Amino acid sequence: MITELGHFTLILGFGVAIFQMIVPMIGASKGWRGWMSAAEPAATAQFLLVAFSFAALTHAFVTSDFSLRLVTLNSHSAKPMIYKISGVWGNHEGSMLLWLLILVLFGACAAWFGGNLPATLRARVLSIQSAIAVAFFAFILFTSNPFVRLAQPPFDGQDLNPLLQDPGLAFHPPFLYLGYVGLSMSFSFAVAALLEGRVDAAWARWVRPWTLAAWVCLTIGIALGSWWAYYELGWGGFWFWDPVENASFMPWLLAAALLHSAIVTEKRESLKSWTILLSILAFGFSLLGTFLVRSGVITSVHAFANDPERGVFILAILAIFLGGALTLYAVRASSMVAQGVFSSVSRESALVMNNILLAVSAFVVFVGTLWPLVSEVTMGRTLSVGAPFFNAAFTPFFVGLAVILPPGAILAWKRGSLKKAMSSLWAVLALAVAAGALTFALQTGRSALGPIGVVLGVWVVAGAMMDLWTRAGKADVGARVRRIRNLPRADWGKFCAHAGLGIVMFAIAGLTAWEAEDIRTANIGDSFTVRDVTITLESVDQVEGPNYFSQMAQFTVSKNGREIATLHPEKRVYPIAAMPTTEAGIDNGFLRDIYLVIGDKQADGGYAVRTYIKPFANWIWGGAILMAIGGLISLTDRRLRVAAGAAKARSKMVAAE
């Protein structure tokens, strides 16, 4: 009964979404306040209806209702409860319902917290947001219904994909969808502004919190996915330039560019058309990522390999919304005249350069991701574009971004002086170069990538610190510290985000340059040395888990004769899914990880063992967390709230009248 109610509320939500898509838009064009105000209760009703539908599906998974086809295909009665719950979105249909839930949640938040937006703009934003919801309601109901019943339910289910039975994958998709779908708000604001013919500083301030919230969630989601791949897949890496990884990385890059572009629009009323374009493209790339994951056109450990019909439906959604928005953009582009002017040496110019580097980086990833598909369709040739291409083509743009970040943040608005900005950064530059030179001297005979990473990391992190220091003005140390404590939260957020980026860049360079790898066959009792640690294979036992069987090894790790860790890498087999997985044994350290993987038993009775020494691995995720914290701190700044910008804009308009 609950399942049928969930299906019914989903259909009812579809009807409400159609109403919200049409009525407020007509009201905004006609100036009918009653019709415009209908958007708010409709948005709330949509959210409540979809939330009930999602709760009904969750109930079916938790209670192991195998009369539901989706539960049968993706769950099992012996599965731990956390994976029964995560199984709701560990499949195509359930994940799309989660996508829709988040989409209508953002629309409801715009209705709940957008009270100070102009009535016509809010009505149009909610109408466009609902139009996106209508498309995904239709997609779910007509091609991906999660509430299909089985005429003859089985005794038990087929279990969830073993790779997804992991805490990292339990939380990774929700955060990723919050980021993907959150960019729909930037899209809705952009299209609404184009319809109104008004893009100004107030609009830029309204769109920034939504974009920032989406960017923060994308950052967390990408970091969780990277962390999961690192310890679960047993490959020893954190990023593989997989097409689905790229599908989330491209919107992240464009969202970062949009955040910085919106600052220029807000401060100087410049880059209006570029900011609108980024708002459209960021969500467009989110839709592109959805198409790549669910169309079956690519092969990936992350992908939902589904029939092409669903891919065509998503491609149609992408074409309608992206094509329609870009057409409207082309029509309105001439009216978005920049009002503010600025020098070629200014913070605005640095932000423009920042945007160029981020946008080109996204384009490089886009080309590398889709080129194999284009080549196969147009030329009949099967090509593989892997890490060497992305590392060579992508890295220079991010190096350039790191170089301009500290001086760009310190330059004055409108007309700055590079000499003045660098006067406070010469010490930072000297420190960065000295750290790089010291690293180069200590790592005799190794790659130059490590020292370059050290230079860039110190340059960006210390430059962010110097930016805070200079904002405190000229005073004694005590007064400066007090002023720094009282700086706006947006300044502290910017510091954390930039410092986090510097840490990530250093950690990636250090890990790539200095990691050690050892592959061998080891018998029980054998010891071997990798770098400065000695590793001994103590035992290999057969262990039974709640829904799997495991070959678990025990290794002791010692240094200078003292035991420092005991690790238990596993080789699991899930009998229901008939699928093996690898569980790495990792000794996490502040400066390095010791990473062990146990393989199959060999003909001589030994076991294949892979060992990695991975310096600064945890700094990658620590830096990503710091970036996300920076975004969250900025979101708490009163100046970035939607209502603050709207109220300020309204008071100016009243005064002008």
Side-chain angles (χ1 to χ4, degrees):
M1 183 62 180
I2 293 177
T3 300
E4 278 66 35
L5 282 175
H7 191 192
F8 175 72
T9 55
L10 190 63
I11 296 171
L12 193 58
F14 186 27
V16 174
I18 294 173
F19 170 84
Q20 185 183 330
M21 175 181 68
I22 297 172
V23 172
M25 187 65 75
I26 295 174
S29 61
K30 299 290 187 181
W32 297 343
R33 289 197 171 270
W35 286 43
M36 286 189 285
S37 62
E40 300 159 36
T44 301
Q46 259 196 88
F47 169 68
L48 293 176
L49 290 167
V50 177
F52 183 87
S53 181
F54 188 81
L57 184 62
T58 304
H59 177 267
F61 271 84
V62 169
T63 58
S64 296
D65 181 3
F66 297 116
S67 68
L68 206 63
R69 178 177 177 272
L70 196 65
V71 179
T72 299
L73 294 176
N74 297 279
S75 191
H76 189 271
S77 58
K79 191 167 61 173
M81 181 57 68
I82 185 175
Y83 302 131
K84 288 185 179 181
I85 296 173
S86 64
V88 178
W89 55 80
N91 57 83
H92 169 71
E93 291 84 356
S95 66
M96 287 311 304
L97 188 58
L98 176 62
W99 172 288
L100 181 62
L101 175 64
I102 294 172
L103 183 65
V104 297
L105 172 62
F106 272 100
C109 286
W112 299 336
F113 305 116
N116 286 326
L117 289 171
T120 55
L121 179 65
R122 181 169 57 164
R124 287 190 168 107
V125 167
L126 292 175
S127 179
I128 295 157
Q129 190 74 7
S130 190
I132 301 170
V134 165
F136 282 96
F137 269 112
F139 177 70
I140 292 173
L141 289 170
F142 299 144
T143 73
S144 309
N145 185 0
F147 296 105
V148 174
R149 289 281 195 184
L150 292 174
Q152 296 180 327
F155 178 75
D156 219 326
Q158 298 178 18
D159 209 359
L160 179 67
N161 183 337
L163 286 175
L164 304 182
Q165 295 187 40
D166 182 87
L169 259 291
F171 299 103
H172 162 64
F175 275 106
L176 209 57
Y177 291 174
L178 282 165
Y180 270 149
V181 181
L183 291 173
S184 66
M185 287 303 302
S186 306
F187 177 88
S188 296
F189 267 93
V191 175
L194 290 172
L195 290 172
E196 292 217 338
R198 176 184 170 187
V199 181
D200 54 15
W203 175 87
R205 178 163 289 189
W206 290 324
V207 83
R208 277 180 65 199
W210 299 104
T211 306
L212 184 56
W215 181 85
V216 167
C217 292
L218 259 181
T219 303
I220 296 172
I222 292 171
L224 282 173
S226 170
W227 177 57
W228 165 80
Y230 174 70
Y231 70 78
E232 174 67 22
L233 298 182
W235 299 344
F238 61 93
W239 192 263
F240 307 99
W241 295 107
D242 179 280
V244 178
E245 289 177 331
N246 296 346
S248 59
F249 192 42
M250 290 183 285
W252 185 88
L253 291 168
L254 292 175
L258 173 57
L259 284 172
H260 293 86
S261 176
I263 294 173
V264 180
T265 303
E266 179 188 342
K267 295 286 186 181
R268 307 296 305 156
E269 295 217 16
S270 297
L271 301 185
K272 293 180 181 179
S273 59
W274 175 244
T275 304
I276 290 285
L277 182 61
L278 283 175
S279 300
I280 295 170
L281 290 179
F283 182 60
F285 272 81
S286 294
L287 292 177
L288 176 65
T290 307
F291 168 73
L292 291 175
V293 174
R294 300 170 193 279
S295 62
V297 300
I298 61 170
T299 301
S300 166
V301 70
H302 308 75
F304 295 102
N306 282 285
D307 57 276
E309 179 186 352
R310 291 170 173 171
V312 170
F313 201 116
I314 295 176
L315 197 60
I317 294 173
L318 174 64
I320 290 170
F321 283 97
L322 189 58
L326 290 176
T327 301
L328 181 60
Y329 171 80
V331 172
R332 296 286 197 180
S334 60
S335 64
M336 291 182 285
V337 180
Q339 296 180 6
V341 294
F342 50 86
S343 166
S344 58
V345 180
S346 62
R347 190 176 301 181
E348 293 92 334
S349 295
L351 289 170
V352 169
M353 183 59 67
N354 160 291
N355 267 232
I356 292 172
L357 291 170
L358 286 169
V360 174
S361 299
F363 179 73
V364 167
V365 178
F366 172 75
V367 171
T369 303
L370 289 191
W371 183 249
L373 179 62
V374 172
S375 173
E376 186 173 355
V377 171
T378 59
M379 297 180 285
R381 297 173 57 192
T382 302
L383 297 177
S384 177
V385 177
F389 166 80
F390 288 107
N391 291 338
F394 177 85
T395 303
F397 297 106
F398 249 61
V399 170
L401 184 67
V403 169
I404 69 168
L405 207 55
I410 293 177
L411 279 170
W413 292 102
K414 192 174 180 179
R415 181 176 288 105
S417 168
L418 188 59
K419 181 179 179 181
K420 185 177 180 181
M422 284 301 299
S423 65
S424 58
L425 289 174
W426 287 119
V428 172
L429 181 60
L431 176 64
V433 172
L438 177 62
T439 304
F440 185 78
L442 292 175
Q443 61 144 44
T444 307
R446 297 180 182 234
S447 165
L449 182 61
I452 291 173
V454 170
V455 171
L456 292 177
V458 173
W459 171 245
V460 173
V461 174
M465 292 178 178
M466 186 58 70
D467 180 29
L468 279 183
W469 186 253
T470 56
R471 286 179 183 277
K474 293 183 178 179
D476 59 78
V477 173
R480 278 197 171 191
V481 170
R482 286 191 297 272
R483 290 177 185 176
I484 290 173
R485 272 204 315 263
N486 295 325
L487 284 173
R489 292 180 185 177
D491 290 335
W492 277 102
K494 183 180 76 168
F495 161 73
C496 290
H498 288 183
L501 177 63
I503 291 171
V504 169
M505 296 178 76
F506 157 72
I508 290 174
L511 175 60
T512 304
W514 301 323
E515 75 172 334
E517 179 181 1
D518 179 88
I519 301 175
R520 68 175 63 229
T521 299
N523 291 289
I524 295 174
D526 285 355
S527 297
F528 55 94
T529 301
V530 182
R531 286 268 170 91
D532 57 347
V533 296
T534 300
I535 299 165
T536 304
L537 175 57
E538 302 287 355
S539 64
V540 178
D541 301 311
Q542 299 301 317
V543 179
E544 184 176 345
N547 62 334
Y548 63 83
F549 298 99
S550 172
Q551 173 186 280
M552 179 185 290
Q554 177 175 317
F555 288 89
T556 57
V557 182
S558 58
K559 183 176 181 179
N560 298 326
R562 182 175 61 88
E563 183 177 322
I564 59 174
T566 301
L567 302 180
H568 297 90
E570 299 179 58
K571 189 87 171 179
R572 291 181 181 177
V573 175
Y574 291 75
I576 302 300
M579 182 176 176
T581 66
T582 299
E583 302 286 328
I586 305 175
D587 176 42
N588 297 114
F590 181 70
L591 296 178
R592 60 94 189 100
D593 280 1
I594 300 173
Y595 186 108
L596 285 168
V597 179
I598 186 72
D600 296 326
K601 190 171 185 178
Q602 305 299 300
D604 62 356
Y607 293 85
V609 178
R610 291 204 311 276
T611 307
Y612 301 93
I613 307 296
K614 293 185 168 293
F616 305 108
N618 290 313
W619 291 40
I620 297 174
W621 301 292
I625 291 170
L626 188 58
M627 282 194 282
I629 290 173
L632 289 172
I633 292 172
S634 293
L635 273 175
T636 64
D637 191 308
R638 184 179 176 278
R639 298 177 304 169
L640 285 184
R641 295 192 194 125
V642 174
K648 188 175 180 181
R650 278 188 169 185
S651 64
K652 286 184 177 180
M653 289 175 64
V654 171
E657 291 174 356

